[in-house]
């Protein structure tokens, strides 16, 4: 930064509150903050502004109509027309069935490298979003776990654990098959008020129990944990506390 | 069997997780939801056509760069007056200074007052920022990008990101003070 303006503490204090100053500059700025009340007041104003923006202007979810329009536009601009129906959920389902058929014929196929967690998280959010934008976000619609669980037979290698969480405020809505990486995985769909929660069950290849961890990708929260050789990914736009409560309820529910 | 990921699958994996970021940026640049939807759709089509050009770096910054470009194209067509260059901006600020008009950073409200600003006022104040300041502020304080990501999106050095962000915040703070009737007598 050769521009003399950019050594101005009134400018650098912004980078300081953003955590963007290198340690040497940060230390120097802290010294200046300690001896310059006007600068310290400036820092408080900036902090207050950042905080109030974060609280009052949270990121907006994408309107579903827009997501559908994009899906349609991208779908129709394909050069190689395929004989899939116009419904994206049918396309997704057809694709997953093709992959599943390939899977059944090659036993070694399952020993795929686990996708890096970040890439998996992106795919989990993409699948959730894509399901939301489909005319019907679920392939099997039922609040009865004895209907949902058998539906997965033949569609994925192992039907997921399906539990009833209606007492906890998360009624079951249904299920679908998502493709994460190249693996068709069972996804259960639960509801929290008007929000859908997708719960994907990915084979983890390890039997140890991993405690829940969470992250956020463009406003969608993800809570993930490992249990019984399965890594569960719960994704939704509900409040993160609700999603944690959901994960807890699912883990504690009797099978 | 799934061989190479096809374009549509790639689009889904790379673009869809960042759709809400694209929408938010478009909305803040063009100023309303309906036009923002058109801009995002345009950006997504561009992203889809260029999906093979995405080298696998920061997908969010990549999509936001395309979205920003689409938004500017829209502004140029529909709101040419909003397309203030940074040079023009500095000129405007110099004139404001000469005429003794309220300038950024002149009014110094208490932090507690800023903390009470309501959503509508904030939105209006942000919407009134010139585009180069507004986009820096939105990318950082609404969308949470790091300086180097913002630099990538707006194609400017990190020092420029810092100074635009500082000026955007100072203007907002002064704007809040003016609304609340403090700092000026």
């Amino acid at each position: 930064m050769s521009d003399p303006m950019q050594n101005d503490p009134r400018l650098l204090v912004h980078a300081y509150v953003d955590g963007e100053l290198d340690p040497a500059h940060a230390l120097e700025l802290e010294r200046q903050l300690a001896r310059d009340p006007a600068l310290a007041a400036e820092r408080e104003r900036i902090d207050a502004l950042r905080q109030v923006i974060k609280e009052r202007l949270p990121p907006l979810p994408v309107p579903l109509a827009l997501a559908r329009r994009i899906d349609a536009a991208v779908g129709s601009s394909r050069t190689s027309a395929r004989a899939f129906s116009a419904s994206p959920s049918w396309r997704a389902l057809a694709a997953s069935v093709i992959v599943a058929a390939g899977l059944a014929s090659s036993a070694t196929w399952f020993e795929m490298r686990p996708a890096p967690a970040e890439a998996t998280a992106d795919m989990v959010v993409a699948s959730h979003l894509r399901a939301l934008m489909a005319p019907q976000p679920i392939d099997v619609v039922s609040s009865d776990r004895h209907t949902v669980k058998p539906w997965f037979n033949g569609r994925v290698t192992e039907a997921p654990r399906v539990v009833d969480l209606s007492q906890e405020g998360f009624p079951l809505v249904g299920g679908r098959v998502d493709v994460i990486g190249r693996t068709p995985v069972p996804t259960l769909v639960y509801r929290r008020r008007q929000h859908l929660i997708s719960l994907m069950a990915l084979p983890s290849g390890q039997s140890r129990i991993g405690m829940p961890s969470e992250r956020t990708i463009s406003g969608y929260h993800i809570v993930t944990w490992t249990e019984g050789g399965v890594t569960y990914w719960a994704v939704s736009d509900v409040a993160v506390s609700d999603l944690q409560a959901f994960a807890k309820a699912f883990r504690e529910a009797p099978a | 069997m799934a061989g190479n990921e096809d374009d549509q699958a790639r689009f889904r994996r790379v673009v869809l997780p960042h759709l809400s970021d694209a929408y938010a940026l478009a909305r803040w640049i063009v100023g309303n939801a309906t036009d923002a939807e058109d801009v995002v759709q345009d950006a997504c089509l561009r992203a889809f056509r260029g999906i093979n050009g995405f080298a696998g770096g920061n997908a969010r910054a990549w999509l936001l760069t395309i979205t920003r470009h689409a938004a500017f194209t829209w502004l140029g067509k529909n709101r040419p007056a909003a397309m203030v260059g940074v040079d023009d901006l500095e000129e405007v600020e110099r004139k404001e200074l000469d005429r003794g008009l309220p300038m950024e950073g002149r009014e110094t409200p208490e932090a507690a007052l800023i903390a009470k600003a309501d959503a509508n006022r904030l939105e209006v104040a942000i919407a009134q920022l010139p585009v180069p300041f507004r986009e820096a502020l939105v990318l950082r304080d609404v969308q949470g990008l790091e300086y180097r990501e913002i630099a990538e999106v707006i194609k400017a050095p990190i020092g420029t990101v810092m100074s635009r962000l500082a000026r955007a915040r100072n203007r907002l703070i002064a704007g809040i003070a003016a609304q609340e009737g403090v700092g000026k007598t």
Side-chain angles (χ1 to χ4, degrees), chain A residues 33-55:
Chain A
L33 281 170
R35 64 175 182 251
D36 181 350
L39 188 64
E42 182 75 9
R43 178 247 170 109
E44 277 179 19
R45 281 190 289 273
I46 298 166
D47 270 338
L49 181 69
R50 291 173 72 224
Q51 193 57 34
V52 75
I53 289 175
K54 209 171 148 191
E55 278 168 15

Side-chain angles (χ1 to χ4, degrees), chain A residues 41-121:
Chain A
E42 182 75 9
R43 178 247 170 109
E44 277 179 19
R45 281 190 289 273
I46 298 166
D47 270 338
L49 181 69
R50 291 173 72 224
Q51 193 57 34
V52 75
I53 289 175
K54 209 171 148 191
E55 278 168 15
R56 308 283 150 83
L57 303 175
L60 301 166
V62 185
L64 282 188
L66 171 64
R68 290 196 183 117
R69 258 166 72 193
I70 287 166
D71 195 58
V74 167
S76 64
S77 67
R78 287 173 71 96
T79 43
S80 62
R82 288 193 194 166
F84 285 144
S85 99
S87 152
S89 67
W90 274 105
R91 271 206 304 273
L93 184 61
S96 63
V97 168
I98 291 165
V99 178
L103 240 172
S105 65
S106 70
T108 56
W109 216 82
F110 216 58
E111 295 184 10
M112 51 174 279
R113 292 184 304 280
E118 277 315 309
T120 305

Side-chain angles (χ1 to χ4, degrees), chain B residues 68-140:
Chain B
R68 174 179 182 264
H69 186 69
F72 280 10
T73 305
W74 187 94
L75 276 187
K77 233 181 269 167
N78 300 284
R79 306 272 190 280
M83 292 295 290
V84 183
V86 178
D87 294 343
D88 305 337
L89 213 57
E90 275 158 4
E91 183 63 21
V92 169
E93 288 188 338
R94 236 190 320 276
K95 280 185 188 153
E96 283 182 351
L97 257 187
D98 291 346
R99 300 211 307 267
L101 288 176
M103 259 300 296
E104 57 184 70
R106 286 303 164 88
E107 289 147 3
T108 53
E110 295 290 326
L113 183 77
I114 297 167
K116 283 190 292 189
D118 70 39
N120 283 342
R121 285 186 170 184
L122 269 178
E123 260 195 75
V124 169
I126 294 174
Q128 284 171 348
L129 293 172
V131 171
F133 295 167
R134 198 192 317 150
E135 64 178 358
L137 181 104
V138 165
L139 287 168
R140 172 65 216 170

Side-chain angles (χ1 to χ4, degrees), chain A:
Chain A
M1 292 187 210
S2 52
D3 184 341
M5 263 282 287
Q6 296 186 352
N7 286 317
D8 181 351
R10 297 179 74 83
L11 193 55
L12 289 176
V13 69
H14 289 269
Y16 175 76
V17 298
D18 287 321
E20 297 265 356
L21 279 189
D22 60 72
H25 280 92
L27 268 179
E28 171 57 27
L29 199 93
E30 276 168 13
R31 270 184 229 118
Q32 285 169 313
L33 281 170
R35 64 175 182 251
D36 181 350
L39 188 64
E42 182 75 9
R43 178 247 170 109
E44 277 179 19
R45 281 190 289 273
I46 298 166
D47 270 338
L49 181 69
R50 291 173 72 224
Q51 193 57 34
V52 75
I53 289 175
K54 209 171 148 191
E55 278 168 15
R56 308 283 150 83
L57 303 175
L60 301 166
V62 185
L64 282 188
L66 171 64
R68 290 196 183 117
R69 258 166 72 193
I70 287 166
D71 195 58
V74 167
S76 64
S77 67
R78 287 173 71 96
T79 43
S80 62
R82 288 193 194 166
F84 285 144
S85 99
S87 152
S89 67
W90 274 105
R91 271 206 304 273
L93 184 61
S96 63
V97 168
I98 291 165
V99 178
L103 240 172
S105 65
S106 70
T108 56
W109 216 82
F110 216 58
E111 295 184 10
M112 51 174 279
R113 292 184 304 280
E118 277 315 309
T120 305
D122 273 356
M123 287 188 281
V124 162
V125 171
S127 294
H128 176 72
L129 256 173
R130 186 168 167 73
L132 289 182
M133 71 177 76
Q136 176 63 271
I138 17 213
D139 294 324
V140 52
V141 183
S142 172
S143 59
D144 179 0
R145 62 198 180 104
H146 300 296
T147 303
V148 173
K149 189 175 169 88
W151 180 86
F152 285 106
N153 289 335
R155 291 186 166 88
V156 292
T157 45
E158 197 177 342
R161 193 163 90 93
V162 185
V163 298
D164 181 359
L165 299 175
S166 50
Q167 292 301 313
E168 286 79 7
F170 303 100
L172 181 65
V173 183
R176 64 170 190 271
V177 173
D178 283 316
V179 178
I180 300 297
R182 294 176 178 178
T183 311
V185 302
T187 298
L188 299 173
V189 182
Y190 289 87
R191 189 165 58 77
R192 176 66 156 188
R193 294 183 290 272
Q194 299 310 310
H195 303 270
L196 294 183
I197 299 172
S198 292
L199 179 69
M200 298 172 205
L202 276 68
S204 77
Q206 46 185 309
S207 52
R208 70 182 174 80
I209 293 178
M211 293 310 285
S213 66
E214 60 185 69
R215 72 189 84 194
T216 299
I217 296 179
S218 5
Y220 291 87
H221 303 299
I222 303 173
V223 172
T224 180
W225 71 97
T226 299
E227 205 168 356
V230 175
T231 300
Y232 292 93
W233 294 76
V235 55
S236 180
D237 59 345
V238 292
V240 71
S241 55
D242 279 348
L243 198 59
Q244 285 163 340
F246 169 78
K248 185 165 182 287
F250 188 89
R251 297 176 72 221
E252 289 173 356

